[in-house]
């Protein structure tokens, strides 16, 4: 990290923490604090699956807003993510499937827009190398 000059040129950096474990709190320095819990318990709080899904959806919608503006499309995109915690190849894994909808667009038009957002959304880029990640264009939630 210290030898990577990209850190010095960052447009935004945040520090996030969890020092209490799965059943506790996670927080961003000078930002939000959320109660955390295991997805397998009935305890109150959010979990990594929910946080990942919200991060992906927020990034997809934010990035799509820029793309729609570039294409002079006056619509608000919507994103939905389904995250599953599964036992995979000798370890536990997340399965991540995102759906993106752009009201007023046909399915072929939405597919073209989703192709753009998939390559520009930072969270999607992080996930894109995994066989456990998929994204699709939809006209509405399925």
């Amino acid at each position: 990290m210290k030898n990577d000059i990209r850190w010095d040129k960052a447009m935004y950096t945040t520090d996030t923490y969890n020092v209490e474990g799965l059943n506790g709190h996670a927080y961003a320095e000078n930002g939000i604090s959320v109660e955390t819990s295991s997805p397998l318990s009935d305890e109150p709080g959010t979990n990594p699956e929910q946080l990942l899904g919200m991060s992906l959806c927020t990034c997809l919608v934010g990035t799509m807003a820029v793309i729609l503006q570039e294409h002079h499309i006056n619509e608000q995109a919507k994103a939905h993510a389904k995250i599953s915690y599964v036992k995979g190849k000798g370890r536990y894994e997340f399965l991540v499937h995102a759906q993106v909808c752009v009201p007023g667009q046909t399915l072929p038009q939405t597919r073209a827009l989703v192709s753009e957002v998939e390559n520009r959304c930072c969270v999607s880029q992080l996930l894109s190398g995994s066989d456990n990640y998929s994204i699709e264009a939809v006209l509405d939630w399925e």
Side-chain angles (χ1 to χ4, degrees), residues 14-73:
T14 188
D15 291 297
T16 59
Y17 303 88
N18 181 320
V19 297
E20 298 174 356
L22 190 56
N23 295 309
H25 292 83
Y27 65 94
E29 194 171 278
N30 300 316
I32 66 167
S33 175
V34 294
E35 187 174 9
T36 59
S37 67
S38 169
L40 305 178
S41 78
D42 292 332
E43 296 295 316
T46 191
N47 55 59
E49 294 82 355
Q50 292 169 340
L51 293 167
L52 175 60
M54 287 185 283
S55 178
L56 176 59
C57 286
T58 301
C59 190
L60 287 168
V61 168
T63 304
M64 185 63 86
V66 172
I67 292 168
L68 293 175
Q69 185 177 29
E70 291 171 356
H71 289 278
H72 308 287
I73 299 170

Side-chain angles (χ1 to χ4, degrees), residues 76-94:
Q76 174 63 56
K78 301 185 291 185
H80 165 254
K82 183 176 190 118
I83 317 292
S84 290
Y85 179 57
V86 299
K87 185 161 182 149
K89 308 162 199 122
R91 62 179 185 217
Y92 292 100
E93 301 175 339
F94 289 153

Side-chain angles (χ1 to χ4, degrees), residues 40 43 56 59 81 94 107 114-115 127 136 138:
L40 305 178
E43 296 295 316
L56 176 59
C59 190
F94 289 153
L107 192 54
V114 168
S115 180
L127 298 171
E136 71 173 322
V138 296

